[in-house]
Amino acid sequence: MKALVYHGPGKKSWEEKPKPVVKEPTDAVVKIFKTTICGTDLHIMKGDLPTVTDGRIIGHEGVGIIDEAGSAVSNFKKGDHVLISCITACGKCEYCKKQMYSHCENGGWILGNLIDGTQAEYVRIPHADNSLYPIPAGADEEALVMLSDILPTGFECGVLSGQVKPGDTIAIVGAGPIGLAALLTAQFYTPAEIIMIDQDDNRLDIAKKFGATHIINSSNENAVKKVMTLTNSKGVDTAIEAVGIPATFELCQAIIGAGGNIANIGVHGKSVTLHLETLWSRNIIISTRLVDTVSTPMLLKTVNSGRLDPKKLITHHFTLDRIIEAYDTFENAAKEKALKVILTNE
Ligand SMILES: NC(=O)c1ccc[n+]([C@@H]2O[C@H](COP(=O)([O-])OP(=O)(O)OC[C@H]3O[C@@H](n4cnc5c(N)ncnc54)[C@H](O)[C@@H]3O)[C@@H](O)[C@H]2O)c1
Ligand SMILES: [Zn+2]
Ligand SMILES: [Zn+2]
């Protein structure tokens, strides 16, 4: 089969690899139908994630069809259409029992990281019963690719951890696919105001269309000042960090109101200054989270009923064999006006 293989920082190729096989009775081999590229894959390509080694097939999102199911897989059989979760969960360990699948002792985020991933014609999924979700008949499979990672991430790490409530004023820093997923799912709770902050005017315009009440381009406006003006100097109830750099976490600390929640989503590679000298007395909660994908079944229902339309996040389409071109587009997101790119295995 063909697959996108990582060969060290800045080096990738679309090359021949052996087709995966069932190794454990709980495994399933899935024929990829549609997959995509994540911001995290770009971090991998830069060499930011040392767990990813030369020869690894990357990618952790997608939908497909069961090609082979191990003898202990009871929820799926050959031919079933499935959604692949970016998180692998055994369902049996201490963390899985607590629904903290991200820290599963036999899984967690391993796909396209510690084991071969989804940017390939076939992928082996361990603990298939707990790591795949059945796709209901008639569902828009392309839209469901957004449920492998970005929607549960925006929802769980941003909206749930940030305790968004009706009537709240929230700010989301970063209008990439993850920040926009937080924007879409925050609206389950009808916050009164949603302030979106980014440096990319195209993404901010999209945020406005997706329901942001205010947009701030922090490269040409003083974001702290503007948020304080919008909130009568009170600050916001929830500040969601969806970038992953010190400047944006500092911004969240500067705009959080008394009693507020700072929900960090961003993957940080550098330490950040914690301003306890101003925050200690302000009854603030700060949360961090690796997505658990526990909300996937709920999100599937909201997508199927049309309450949530994640297809809005898809801007580009390629056939899977043009994945190198798709990476170029996604890497130049501002210039290409790209959000999520869909790759179809024809
Ligand atoms: N916690 C988790 O489980 C989890 C899961 C998936 C992704 N992530 C992380 O979430 C973050 C967002 O992911 P994404 O795919 O949307 O990334 P992205 O790179 O597509 O989007 C980031 C956005 O931040 C904006 N930005 C950059 N610098 C800024 C600044 N100084 N001020 C304001 N905006 C700025 C960019 O213009 C861009 O729109 C990444 O750090 C990613 O690794 C975390
Ligand atoms: Zn991802
Ligand atoms: Zn487990």
Side-chain angles (χ1 to χ4, degrees), residues 254-273:
I255 60 173
I256 195 68
N261 282 271
I262 297 177
N264 182 78
I265 311 179
V267 173
H268 290 265
K270 287 201 185 98
S271 62
V272 176
T273 305

Side-chain angles (χ1 to χ4, degrees), residues 46-87:
K46 281 188 214 143
D48 288 349
L49 283 121
T51 48
V52 185
T53 49
D54 188 351
R56 175 72 60 240
I57 300 171
I58 63 175
H60 50 265
E61 298 161 276
V63 294
I65 298 162
I66 302 276
D67 184 60
E68 190 189 352
S71 57
V73 175
S74 55
N75 289 355
F76 304 103
K77 58 178 190 316
K78 189 176 169 74
D80 285 351
H81 288 233
V82 291
L83 164 66
I84 300 165
S85 173
C86 65
I87 300 292

Side-chain angles (χ1 to χ4, degrees), residues 4-6 16-17 41 49 59 107 125 145-146 157 160 165 181 225 241 247 262 287 300-301 326 342:
L4 194 275
V5 183
Y6 171 79
E16 199 61 34
K17 282 283 237 182
D41 298 326
L49 283 121
I125 303 293
V145 176
M146 305 299 110
C157 311
L160 289 185
K165 295 181 295 304
K225 226 169 152 181
E241 199 286 340
I262 297 177
S287 57
L300 257 166
K301 288 184 195 166
I342 286 285

Side-chain angles (χ1 to χ4, degrees), residues 1-125:
M1 67 157 190
K2 284 279 176 95
L4 194 275
V5 183
Y6 171 79
H7 288 298
K11 291 188 217 129
K12 58 180 176 307
S13 73
W14 176 244
E15 63 185 54
E16 199 61 34
K17 282 283 237 182
K19 186 183 160 189
V21 292
V22 164
K23 282 191 195 159
E24 302 288 336
T26 45
D27 288 352
V29 172
V30 176
K31 179 174 192 218
I32 292 292
F33 176 38
K34 286 174 191 282
T35 183
T36 182
I37 306 169
C38 179
T40 306
D41 298 326
L42 301 186
H43 278 299
I44 292 172
M45 287 315 308
K46 281 188 214 143
D48 288 349
L49 283 121
T51 48
V52 185
T53 49
D54 188 351
R56 175 72 60 240
I57 300 171
I58 63 175
H60 50 265
E61 298 161 276
V63 294
I65 298 162
I66 302 276
D67 184 60
E68 190 189 352
S71 57
V73 175
S74 55
N75 289 355
F76 304 103
K77 58 178 190 316
K78 189 176 169 74
D80 285 351
H81 288 233
V82 291
L83 164 66
I84 300 165
S85 173
C86 65
I87 300 292
T88 301
C90 75
K92 293 179 179 170
C93 71
E94 189 183 334
Y95 293 112
C96 282
K97 293 283 185 202
K98 285 198 268 195
Q99 293 227 305
M100 223 164 98
Y101 300 151
S102 58
H103 289 73
C104 171
E105 286 166 26
N106 309 301
W109 178 46
I110 56 173
L111 207 56
N113 177 14
L114 301 175
I115 64 168
D116 285 339
T118 56
Q119 289 167 11
E121 291 176 321
Y122 293 87
V123 62
R124 180 181 71 91
I125 303 293

